[in-house]
Amino acid sequence: MTLTVYGTAGRSFRVHWLLAELGQDYETVSAFPRSPEIHAVNPLGQVPALRDGDHILTDSLAILNYLADRAGRFIYPTGTPERALMEARINFVLTEMEAPIWLMARHGFVLPKDQRHPGLRAVTEPDFARAVKKFETLIGDAEFFAGADFTIADIVAGHTADWAIGATIPVNSGVLENYLARLQQRPAWAKAMG
């Protein structure tokens, strides 16, 4: 059965990157958030979505878990300390690193103009800076973020770091920049970007 990914930008990149790592063939529908194309498969109007046969999956992390578990690659087995560490690292990225970026995006261009609070960027940039320092502590001198192997934790962390840099949020961390540079050298990164 052919997989179909709805969405090409934002968190959809995570799904494209994992599928490239897996060498999985799939189709892409260039659906944008809140578009009729995405509302047809996700009533919340959010990307990404994944169609696998009769099943529609939403949320980038749920899709990553599904695809990695199904393939038995880039994820640790359930019920293991390695899996728990990987999930803790992903939760850290989503709650501490991505949350301030998303808040800046919402109030920068996502929300209607009359609902935006552009001053929030000045408040949330220090939150992101604190999260980056914590990231440095967690990764130490390791190559990957959640153990000895490249996992979906690296996909989430790498995408989030790239998102911050693309949004011109000061990173001020050689550790994070070097980590991202290593991830960007993976052939699957280039394939997913293309």
Side-chain angles (χ1 to χ4, degrees):
M1 243 182 233
T2 302
L3 297 174
T4 303
V5 178
Y6 295 80
T8 55
R11 294 179 184 101
S12 301
F13 176 74
R14 297 171 180 171
V15 178
H16 292 281
W17 183 6
L18 177 57
L19 287 167
E21 292 282 356
L22 292 170
Q24 174 75 53
D25 291 330
Y26 64 98
E27 296 175 354
T28 302
V29 174
S30 295
F32 293 95
R34 299 177 301 282
S35 67
E37 295 84 7
I38 196 64
H39 272 289
V41 293
N42 182 355
L44 298 179
Q46 298 171 331
V47 295
L50 176 78
R51 180 185 297 277
D52 184 5
D54 295 332
H55 302 284
I56 299 287
L57 303 167
T58 60
D59 183 84
S60 65
L61 182 55
I63 295 168
L64 294 181
N65 276 304
Y66 171 75
L67 293 171
D69 276 333
R70 190 175 83 156
R73 295 176 61 206
F74 308 116
I75 198 164
Y76 294 109
T78 57
T80 63
E82 293 83 5
R83 178 68 170 253
L85 174 65
M86 184 198 75
E87 290 179 355
R89 296 290 168 90
I90 290 169
N91 289 337
F92 162 79
V93 171
L94 296 178
T95 59
E96 303 247 359
M97 293 179 73
E98 183 185 271
I101 300 170
W102 177 232
L103 191 58
M104 288 181 231
R106 286 173 47 88
H107 289 276
F109 63 89
V110 174
L111 291 171
K113 286 186 180 183
D114 64 332
Q115 295 177 20
R116 296 178 194 170
H117 298 282
L120 282 177
R121 184 171 177 120
V123 175
T124 51
E125 278 187 6
D127 289 340
F128 181 75
R130 283 187 287 277
V132 168
K133 292 298 178 197
K134 291 178 183 180
F135 174 88
E136 291 175 341
T137 299
L138 291 172
I139 195 166
D141 60 358
E143 182 176 1
F144 301 115
F145 190 47
D149 304 305
F150 175 85
T151 66
I152 61 172
D154 296 296
I155 290 176
V156 174
H159 169 258
T160 302
D162 186 63
W163 184 5
I165 290 168
T168 65
I169 300 167
V171 172
N172 300 324
S173 169
V175 171
L176 184 58
E177 290 168 348
N178 291 336
Y179 168 74
L180 178 59
R182 287 194 306 274
L183 295 178
Q184 290 172 331
Q185 291 173 7
R186 297 179 70 84
W189 174 282
K191 186 174 181 181
M193 288 298 280

